[in-house]
Amino acid sequence: PCRSVHGNNRLLPSQIVSYYESINQCEKELPEYFNFASDVLDEWARLEKDGRKAANPAFWWVSEEGEEVKWSFEELGSLSRRAANVLCEACALQRGDRVLAVLPRVPEWWLLSVACMRAGIVFIPGTSQLTAKDISYRLQASKAKCIITSDTLAPALESVLPGSQVLKSKLLVGRGSRDGWLNLKELL
């Protein structure tokens, strides 16, 4: 039995723990492949579209200035598929490749993390407070093939990028442009 909260059936914490315990004790079969983006988000989008699940925002972001970005499950699914295509085609990334994202908390941070899940790309989040030395270390240790940052943070990162032998592409989030950088908004 599930508890109804705001008209939605939700599992109680004890039910979730029980489910995971049954997996750990091999009472439930684990799927061979699991992808949160396609197995969960896309399923919720389908249930909403079929009217079997109440429509709720999948993502709701509000900036300090009050700007809002709100995506439904269907919109997040569509945008994340397009972003995954950008990563795989324009950035030439493949399943298992690593991406270092040095971004402030902007909607694209979450969009790109879902896109990486969808494409099987390893998303390495980095705070915008990292120093050049921190970024250089993370690039070398992770062997990231792509770096993603905002148009305002890109100038600070450019000094360390030539030292990376593995880096293939640089993706910019924002309205600006820079030589040698791909722009996510344009590619979407």
Side-chain angles (χ1 to χ4, degrees), residues 1 19 31 35 46 52 62 70 75 80 91 130 150 167:
Y19 180 77
N35 185 300
R46 189 180 62 73
R52 294 188 294 152
V62 181
K70 195 184 290 189
E75 290 169 322
S80 66
C91 297
L130 292 173
S150 67
L167 194 65

Side-chain angles (χ1 to χ4, degrees), residues 102-148:
V102 181
L103 290 168
R105 295 297 187 229
V106 293
E108 292 83 0
W109 191 96
W110 284 274
L111 173 63
L112 288 162
S113 68
V114 173
C116 284
M117 285 181 222
R118 189 174 292 285
I121 296 168
V122 179
F123 184 78
I124 304 168
T127 174
S128 55
Q129 297 174 336
L130 292 173
T131 66
K133 183 178 177 182
D134 296 329
I135 293 165
S136 179
Y137 173 77
R138 282 168 172 76
L139 280 171
Q140 299 310 319
S142 69
K143 296 179 176 54
K145 292 186 179 178
C146 177
I147 190 161
I148 304 170

Side-chain angles (χ1 to χ4, degrees), residues 64-175:
E64 291 178 5
E65 295 80 28
E67 174 193 3
E68 286 189 19
V69 173
K70 195 184 290 189
W71 295 323
S72 67
F73 284 98
E74 189 173 345
E75 290 169 322
L76 181 57
S78 174
L79 284 169
S80 66
R81 280 188 287 281
R82 289 168 40 198
N85 286 337
V86 167
L87 294 171
C88 293
E89 294 168 12
C91 297
L93 299 174
Q94 299 175 8
R95 178 176 299 281
D97 285 344
R98 294 169 189 90
V99 168
L100 176 61
V102 181
L103 290 168
R105 295 297 187 229
V106 293
E108 292 83 0
W109 191 96
W110 284 274
L111 173 63
L112 288 162
S113 68
V114 173
C116 284
M117 285 181 222
R118 189 174 292 285
I121 296 168
V122 179
F123 184 78
I124 304 168
T127 174
S128 55
Q129 297 174 336
L130 292 173
T131 66
K133 183 178 177 182
D134 296 329
I135 293 165
S136 179
Y137 173 77
R138 282 168 172 76
L139 280 171
Q140 299 310 319
S142 69
K143 296 179 176 54
K145 292 186 179 178
C146 177
I147 190 161
I148 304 170
T149 195
S150 67
D151 49 357
T152 56
L153 294 173
L157 295 173
E158 286 183 328
S159 65
V160 299
L161 299 183
S164 174
Q165 293 81 23
V166 198
L167 194 65
K168 287 182 179 180
S169 56
K170 302 177 288 187
L171 190 61
L172 203 60
V173 170
R175 292 175 178 84

